[in-house]
Every structure is written in C-alpha cells, then in structure tokens.
Amino acid sequence: MYPLRRNRRLRTSAAIRSLVQETKVTANDFIVPLFVVEGKSVKEEIASMPNYYRYSLDLLEKEVQELWNLGLKSVLLFVKVPDNLKDNKGTEALNADGLMQRAIKTVKNAVPEMYVMTDVALDPYSSYGHDGIVEDGKIVNDPTCDVLAQMSVSHAQAGANMVAPSDMMDGRILYIREALEENNFIDCGIMSYSAKYASAFYGPFRDALDSAPGFGDKKSYQMDPSNRSEAIRESLMDIDEGADILMVKPGLCYLDIVRDLSNEMELPIAVYQVSGEYAMLKAAAERGWLDHDAVMMEQVMAIKRAGASLIASYFAKDVAQLLQS
Ligand code: PBG
C-alpha cells in the first residue's frame, strides 16, 4: 500500500526498467512472409505495401541470405501465379516444377538452415480467387482437402520444413497429416491457421498476389470476427488432427483470442500480423502522423505479450534491422 509501495521505483532508470521488463522481442520471434514471382531480376514494390516486394527467384536468393544474416531464421513463402496457369482445381499447385516448388529449393540452396514454411491454399492458383474448389457457386470442402494434402506433400518433396494451411476447410489438418505420414515426411510440420477470421485487413495481400475472390467473399469458410469460443473449438480440432503450431490471424484486433488460446492450448501460438496492419502504419508514418519504429515495436511487443511465441510479420526485417542497430 502507498507510500510503502511506490511502483515508480522500478521505472526510475533504463537499467532497472530493462531488468524488470516482462516481454522481450528478438529476431527469433519472427517468420518472414515472402512473395515470389516468375522472371529474372524482378523486385516489384507492392503498391499497397510500401517497401515490401515481390521477388523473382534470383533475387529471392539474395534476400534470404540477408534475412539470415539479420538473425531471421524462418520464411513463409507465397507465390504469384500467372493468370494462364489458374484453374478451379489449382492444378498448377501440384506441379513438381511449379514456382512454389522452385522457390522452396532456391531458399534451401541459398541458406540450408533457413526454416522454410509454405502457404497451402488454392487462392493464388484459383481462377475464382477462392481458397477451395468451387462447385455451383459453393466452396466444396472435402475435394479441396484432397488437393491441399497433395499440395503439402509436393511442398515437402521440394524441401519445405513446415506447411501452413491458410484455407479454413474443415478437416484439412487431418488430411494433410495423414498424407505427409503416408509419404514418409514425418518431420514436416503443420502450422495451422486455426483461428483465421474473414477480415477486411487482407486487402493489400490480395493486391500482392492478385488473388481477390472473383465472386462473393470468404465468409463461408473464414471465421466471423464476432466469435470467440469458436476459435477454441477450431484450435482443439486442429490439435487433435495433428497441428504442430496454431495461429491467430489477423493480429492486433484479435489479441484477446491470442490470450485465450495461449491460456488454454498446449501448442505454440503464432500470430499473423497481416498486410492491412502493415499498410496502416506505413501510411500513417509516411504522413508523419506516427513514429514508425516506435509504433512497430510497440505492436509486435503487444502481440508477444498477448501470448504469441511466433509472429509472421511484414515488419520482421525492419524489426531485425532496428534490433541490430
Ligand atoms: C490466402 C491467404 C490470405 C492471407 C494469407 N493467406 C488472404 C485471404 O485469406 O484472402 C492474408 C495475409 C495478409 O493479409 O497479410 N489463403
């Protein structure tokens, strides 16, 4: 009780503040999302994601070396698929020599120790821009899971360490785990987007991959942002089906969900701080309205404080550079 207890005592200097600091952000906390395109010497800035780029494979190699030297140990790969290769069933996703499969090999050749995660969902390959196969205007669940399982095996064959299904079909973790086991990829892990919400914060990402849904929205598979207990149900099912890591997505608006899951689940929790969150801060900082680095650090720290042990973030490189400087 005051005056015996004065909480400001532990805030009097930088030294004591750092000694009692409860949450520390390091480069080890991050997964770096990377966008890959066909071509040579391509480094295209994404219009709605300032200072974020799509790389062709030759420049991807350089980028991952740079990331590794900054202490970043994991990447999450996304590919931008040319329109002429898109169809309803995501056929190109299973091409052993497809862009994703070549990107995995490129990263592994450049930095063998880099932990390579891959996005598993049909939207970049889908002529409809949906995460699953479309029949009569509906996204069909089980046939989609079959393709996702084959896609995961194909990524594992190319050398992926972990697949990250971002589609929200029911049962896909089980389909994928069984397919990986049958093909002897027992060490290939699964990071499940367990609580992925139907969020308006994904807009810039869909620009990056030209993957916006051609009709309707994603509300019949992604979760309603109003729901909390559903995140627990989704996560418990994913654990039963063989997930190694659970994920909450987006980040900042959903930190209550992150806290719920980290209190109740035994698995590591990842957060995806998504493209819209990145764009908001970049835009405000460009106008001089927010201090970019300070707000960035406060945000990733808040995500970690909420209970995340991994953060997939477009700020990963900025954070790592700041921590090194
Ligand atoms: C698609 C996918 C999306 C993101 C990751 N994987 C978009 C979507 O569901 O429409 C969003 C990531 C971001 O906004 O940064 N399977």
Side-chain angles (χ1 to χ4, degrees), residues 121 123 131 166 196 202 205-206 218 222 249 274-275 314:
D123 51 322
D131 289 32
S166 64
K196 176 171 177 175
Y202 306 150
F205 172 96
R206 294 175 188 170
K218 298 193 175 185
Q222 298 178 350
K249 175 183 179 184
V274 302
S275 57
Y314 305 101

Side-chain angles (χ1 to χ4, degrees), residues 76-129:
L76 174 57
L77 302 177
F78 295 92
V79 290
K80 182 166 187 285
V81 180
D83 275 344
N84 64 322
L85 295 178
K86 296 185 182 185
D87 63 20
N88 184 25
K89 293 203 159 130
T91 312
E92 175 61 15
L94 307 181
N95 178 357
D97 199 33
L99 184 55
M100 175 61 92
Q101 288 78 357
R102 280 177 284 134
I104 297 165
K105 290 177 191 161
T106 301
V107 176
K108 279 292 178 188
N109 280 334
V111 185
E113 295 299 303
M114 184 66 89
Y115 196 83
V116 177
M117 304 189 184
T118 58
D119 183 59
V120 171
L122 289 191
D123 51 322
Y125 300 94
S126 159
S127 36
Y128 293 105

Side-chain angles (χ1 to χ4, degrees), residues 41-320:
S41 309
V42 182
K43 181 181 177 183
E44 300 169 334
E45 189 171 23
I46 298 150
S48 47
M49 299 178 72
N51 202 31
Y52 221 80
Y53 303 88
R54 305 181 193 94
Y55 295 96
S56 56
L57 295 177
D58 49 336
L59 297 188
L60 177 68
E61 199 174 312
K62 295 202 178 66
E63 180 63 15
V64 293
Q65 280 158 349
E66 228 179 276
L67 295 173
W68 184 259
N69 292 334
L70 283 166
L72 294 162
K73 301 188 178 73
S74 170
V75 294
L76 174 57
L77 302 177
F78 295 92
V79 290
K80 182 166 187 285
V81 180
D83 275 344
N84 64 322
L85 295 178
K86 296 185 182 185
D87 63 20
N88 184 25
K89 293 203 159 130
T91 312
E92 175 61 15
L94 307 181
N95 178 357
D97 199 33
L99 184 55
M100 175 61 92
Q101 288 78 357
R102 280 177 284 134
I104 297 165
K105 290 177 191 161
T106 301
V107 176
K108 279 292 178 188
N109 280 334
V111 185
E113 295 299 303
M114 184 66 89
Y115 196 83
V116 177
M117 304 189 184
T118 58
D119 183 59
V120 171
L122 289 191
D123 51 322
Y125 300 94
S126 159
S127 36
Y128 293 105
H130 273 291
D131 289 32
I133 298 170
V134 177
E135 275 170 28
D136 300 327
K138 292 206 165 103
I139 310 340
V140 291
N141 195 86
D142 299 5
T144 298
C145 289
D146 269 328
V147 181
L148 297 173
Q150 292 172 51
M151 203 173 157
S152 301
V153 170
S154 175
H155 293 181
Q157 269 159 353
N161 298 107
M162 183 169 272
V163 293
S166 64
D167 56 286
M168 292 301 280
M169 296 302 119
D170 289 327
R172 87 266 208 227
I173 303 301
L174 182 63
Y175 274 75
I176 292 171
R177 187 68 263 159
E178 284 182 346
L180 290 170
E181 295 297 312
E182 272 161 28
N183 288 276
N184 240 329
F185 292 112
I186 57 169
D187 289 329
C188 180
I190 304 175
M191 176 167 74
S192 174
Y193 288 59
S194 330
K196 176 171 177 175
Y197 287 89
S199 168
F201 282 97
Y202 306 150
F205 172 96
R206 294 175 188 170
D207 293 342
L209 295 188
D210 185 23
S211 61
F215 69 88
D217 52 39
K218 298 193 175 185
K219 291 180 184 168
S220 77
Y221 43 106
Q222 298 178 350
M223 285 172 50
D224 183 337
S226 330
N227 294 355
R228 184 175 164 195
S229 58
E230 193 180 358
I232 308 261
R233 285 203 297 283
E234 284 282 2
S235 304
L236 288 171
M237 285 179 72
D238 286 352
I239 293 176
D240 282 345
E241 292 175 28
D244 298 285
I245 296 176
L246 304 173
M247 186 196 278
V248 176
K249 175 183 179 184
L252 287 181
C253 289
Y254 297 84
L255 294 187
D256 55 330
I257 310 296
V258 178
R259 174 47 60 193
D260 283 346
L261 295 195
S262 74
N263 284 347
E264 299 199 26
M265 306 289 153
E266 300 295 329
L267 294 185
I269 313 290
V271 162
Y272 201 137
Q273 186 182 31
V274 302
S275 57
E277 300 180 71
Y278 177 85
M280 283 199 302
L281 174 51
K282 290 288 170 186
E286 264 174 22
R287 285 166 173 74
W289 291 350
L290 286 175
D291 175 338
H292 179 274
D293 289 353
V295 173
M296 169 180 80
M297 292 310 291
E298 189 173 331
Q299 292 189 345
V300 292
M301 190 276 302
I303 290 171
K304 201 172 171 190
R305 192 195 58 224
S309 39
L310 306 92
I311 307 170
S313 172
Y314 305 101
F315 289 116
K317 193 177 176 185
D318 290 345
V319 170

